[in-house]
């Protein structure tokens, strides 16, 4: 009888998705399955403070790249203090953070990740004066905002995983933007 209970318990344990090892990662992903798991677990801490983290990201972005303020009419004349309390900045920052959230959460399904992130990259053609290289300017402010939000949970391992993840997202935003540029140029030359 004891053996049957042990078998039953071990079979239930194996069917419990929380106790199973993570599935192997897609070779197109720069993250191992373990890194992906750590990223998603850590990201929960940021997601709980998504608006605050987004505001930190954008304030750091504008401090380091003042010329980007020209892309945002509503923020051009605002001081640092105005920006930190701006409802418009909070709204935009939260929207960007939700986009990053969607990208991060879809790293387990690379086809969905590519489709989503590249589509978002392509939509930036709607922003007058936007250039693909602007995406890369988010990397350091994102990492600093994550570090600020996570505090001592931002270990060297988590920092490395965040660097890999944000670079993967930014790289694919750029690809989406550039593919869209190529399509637009192709459509214009056919007219």
């Amino acid at each position: 009888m004891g053996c049957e209970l042990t078998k039953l318990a071990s079979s239930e344990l194996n069917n419990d998705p929380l106790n199973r090892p993570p599935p192997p990662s897609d070779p197109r992903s720069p993250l191992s399955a373990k890194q992906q798991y750590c990223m998603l677990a850590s990201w929960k801490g940021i997601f709980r403070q998504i608006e605050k983290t987004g505001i930190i990201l954008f304030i750091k972005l504008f401090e380091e790249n003042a010329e980007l303020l020209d892309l945002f009419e509503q923020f051009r004349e605002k001081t640092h203090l105005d920006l930190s309390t701006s409802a418009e900045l909070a709204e935009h920052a939260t929207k960007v953070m939700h986009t990053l959230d969607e990208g991060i959460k879809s790293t387990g399904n690379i086809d969905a990740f590519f489709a989503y992130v590249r589509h978002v990259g392509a939509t930036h053609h709607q922003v007058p004066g936007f250039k693909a290289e602007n995406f890369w300017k988010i990397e350091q402010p994102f990492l600093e905002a994550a570090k600020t939000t996570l505090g001592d949970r931002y270990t060297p391992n988590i920092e490395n995983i965040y660097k890999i993840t944000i670079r993967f997202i930014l790289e694919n935003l750029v690809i989406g933007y550039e593919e869209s540029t190529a399509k637009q140029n192709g459509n214009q030359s056919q007219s």
Side-chain angles (χ1 to χ4, degrees):
M1 184 75 170
C3 288
E4 291 302 314
L5 284 175
T6 306
K7 281 183 195 171
L8 179 63
S10 69
S11 73
E12 285 177 7
L13 183 68
N14 291 334
N15 289 326
D16 180 356
L18 297 175
N19 287 320
R20 263 192 238 141
S25 66
D26 189 303
R28 297 171 293 172
S29 172
L31 295 172
S32 70
K34 184 176 181 183
Q35 287 173 319
Q36 194 172 28
Y37 176 82
C38 290
M39 179 70 204
L40 292 172
S42 168
W43 183 250
K44 289 176 186 171
I46 289 182
F47 190 77
R48 283 191 288 272
Q49 298 181 57
I50 200 162
E51 181 179 294
K52 176 184 158 229
T53 305
I55 291 169
I56 293 167
L57 183 157
F58 270 92
I59 287 174
K60 290 183 182 299
L61 178 69
F62 293 146
E63 283 174 353
E64 295 171 16
N65 304 279
E67 75 282 2
L68 291 181
L69 279 167
D70 293 338
L71 299 174
F72 298 92
E73 281 183 39
Q74 70 270 37
F75 306 143
R76 278 187 205 145
E77 304 302 318
K78 294 191 183 273
T79 66
H80 187 289
L81 180 62
D82 291 341
L83 281 174
S84 65
T85 59
S86 164
E88 293 94 354
L89 180 62
E91 183 180 329
H92 185 73
T94 302
K95 183 178 174 185
V96 168
M97 290 300 289
H98 277 287
T99 299
L100 290 171
D101 174 64
E102 191 67 35
I104 287 166
K105 287 180 177 171
S106 69
T107 56
N109 178 345
I110 292 297
D111 291 323
F113 172 86
F114 287 150
Y116 178 73
V117 174
R118 290 177 182 181
H119 168 75
V120 171
T123 64
H124 281 73
H125 279 284
Q126 300 165 7
V127 180
F130 190 87
K131 296 181 195 110
E133 59 266 19
N134 291 343
F135 286 122
W136 289 106
K137 295 176 181 176
I138 292 174
E139 182 179 4
Q140 281 311 107
F142 171 80
L143 294 170
E144 291 174 41
K147 182 177 185 175
T148 300
T149 299
L150 291 173
D152 59 3
R153 294 172 290 170
Y154 195 75
T155 63
N157 181 47
I158 292 297
E159 178 181 25
N160 182 50
I161 292 169
Y162 273 72
K163 282 180 181 177
I164 293 168
T165 303
I166 192 62
R167 287 176 185 157
F168 189 51
I169 290 171
L170 296 174
E171 175 183 297
N172 280 284
L173 286 168
V174 169
I175 290 170
Y177 186 87
E178 290 174 346
E179 286 175 349
S180 177
T181 301
K183 278 183 190 167
Q184 286 181 352
N185 291 341
N187 290 342
Q188 289 172 355
S189 66
Q190 290 174 1
S191 320

